Amino acid sequence: MNILFFLTPKSEVAYIYEDESLRQALEKMEYHKYSSIPMISRTGRYIGTITEGDMLWGIKNKFNLNLKEAEHVPVTAIPRRMDYLPVKIDSRMEDMLDRALNQNFIPVVDDQKNFIGIITRKEIIKYFYQKMSREGTAKEPEISRYMVV
Amino acid sequence: MNILFFLTPKSEVAYIYEDESLRQALEKMEYHKYSSIPMISRTGRYIGTITEGDMLWGIKNKFNLNLKEAEHVPVTAIPRRMDYLPVKIDSRMEDMLDRALNQNFIPVVDDQKNFIGIITRKEIIKYFYQKMSREGTAKEPEISRYMVV
């Protein structure tokens, strides 16, 4: 199986150039609403990936964010762009996987809506990875999206 | 198949309480290095999930971040905590999946290290989801981790 089957081509990907300013990068990320974005050179080489977290911690240090002020801001005052939807413990596998398409993890709640833990994408991919290795599906010939195009 | 098989229980999950301050939340996130963290009530209810991005944009607005200054900061001056490792176009499926365990997407480069696109976890999960639906594996009885414990 060819990994290009899974590729989102550069033409459909938002990226930043390594010689851009923090401001340009911030604006691009805010506009596209991606939590991480690849950085490339003007000649097209992959340089690295910058995340919202890198920017958060970078800004916190570079701009000497006054944490004293942050003490009086309740965390609930921060708008949440995309609230992760939970699944109930008795949800079907399909519904859980459906959530996993759009969230980095899925909060799990019991009947009383108590939070009992999370399901990470990592665990899901790990499961399928191991299942695939056991079944040897990786060796199966498949028509790749790349070959069709 | 029971979704609890995939559960990371609350006892092993970092979370914040909804009545905490922005400062407490920031410190918890910086310490745990998670890009998003569930928020629960003192009675244990799931409230929502806050991401580094929410904090970045919230702080940018709340603290009236001076973007003029950010114009002169090159984006490469921001330290990148965990640089996403790329895969080459001819990588094996196993190596790509291995990367997918720890990165939200995998940059793909050609032989000249040119960036040609990305593989998202969403595409990977979508593929296995569809494959599972086709094969009807979801109905197979499996021993769940939850039942064993």
Side-chain angles (χ1 to χ4, degrees), chain A:
Chain A
M1 176 162 192
N2 195 311
I3 64 158
L4 291 175
F5 173 79
F6 295 103
L7 188 77
T8 303
K10 187 180 172 186
S11 56
E12 294 170 22
V13 172
Y15 49 85
I16 53 175
Y17 289 109
E18 60 172 340
D19 58 4
E20 288 188 84
S21 71
L22 173 60
R23 178 178 184 157
Q24 287 171 301
L26 272 169
E27 283 171 349
K28 225 172 249 187
M29 285 193 91
E30 195 165 21
Y31 175 78
H32 287 290
K33 299 188 170 53
Y34 291 130
S35 61
S36 47
I37 197 165
M39 190 191 301
I40 65 174
S41 73
R42 290 282 171 187
T43 57
R45 299 278 169 90
Y46 172 69
I47 303 294
T49 291
I50 193 156
T51 69
E52 285 175 327
D54 295 332
M55 294 200 174
L56 174 65
W57 310 122
I59 284 173
K60 181 170 157 279
N61 300 326
K62 281 218 176 302
F63 290 76
N64 259 322
L65 209 69
N66 187 355
L67 278 187
K68 204 101 198 104
E69 207 179 318
E71 263 168 33
H72 306 294
V73 177
V75 65
T76 44
I78 300 290
R80 298 194 296 280
R81 192 160 60 187
M82 193 206 71
D83 230 345
Y84 285 21
L85 296 172
V87 290
K88 281 175 61 181
I89 36 173
D90 55 356
S91 293
R92 292 178 320 139
M93 179 78 176
E94 284 83 349
D95 299 327
M96 186 277 282
L97 287 177
D98 204 52
R99 290 269 145 93
L101 294 181
N102 299 308
Q103 305 178 179
N104 279 334
F105 63 77
I106 308 113
V108 183
V109 296
D110 67 13
D111 285 342
Q112 278 76 50
K113 292 184 183 163
N114 290 311
F115 172 74
I116 63 158
I118 62 171
I119 293 172
T120 62
R121 283 177 158 180
K122 180 178 183 156
E123 285 302 322
I124 298 171
I125 294 174
K126 199 194 275 174
Y127 166 79
F128 284 119
Y129 180 12
Q130 285 162 351
K131 192 163 147 48
M132 196 186 74
S133 308
R134 271 199 314 274
E135 293 170 2
T137 0
K139 283 160 219 133
E140 260 176 39
E142 296 221 21
I143 298 159
S144 99
R145 200 165 65 182
Y146 185 74
M147 288 159 76
V148 171
V149 174

Side-chain angles (χ1 to χ4, degrees), chain B residues 34-77:
Chain B
Y34 291 131
S35 60
S36 49
I37 197 165
M39 190 191 300
I40 65 174
S41 73
R42 290 283 170 186
T43 57
R45 299 280 169 89
Y46 172 69
I47 303 295
T49 290
I50 193 156
T51 68
E52 286 175 326
D54 295 333
M55 293 198 175
L56 174 65
W57 311 122
I59 284 172
K60 181 169 158 279
N61 299 326
K62 280 218 177 303
F63 290 75
N64 260 321
L65 209 68
N66 188 354
L67 277 188
K68 203 98 198 105
E69 207 178 320
E71 264 168 32
H72 306 295
V73 177
V75 65
T76 43

Side-chain angles (χ1 to χ4, degrees), chain A residues 115-118, chain B residues 7-15 17 40 43-44:
Chain A
F115 172 74
I116 63 158
I118 62 171
Chain B
L7 189 77
T8 303
K10 187 180 171 183
S11 57
E12 294 170 23
V13 172
Y15 50 84
Y17 290 108
I40 65 174
T43 57

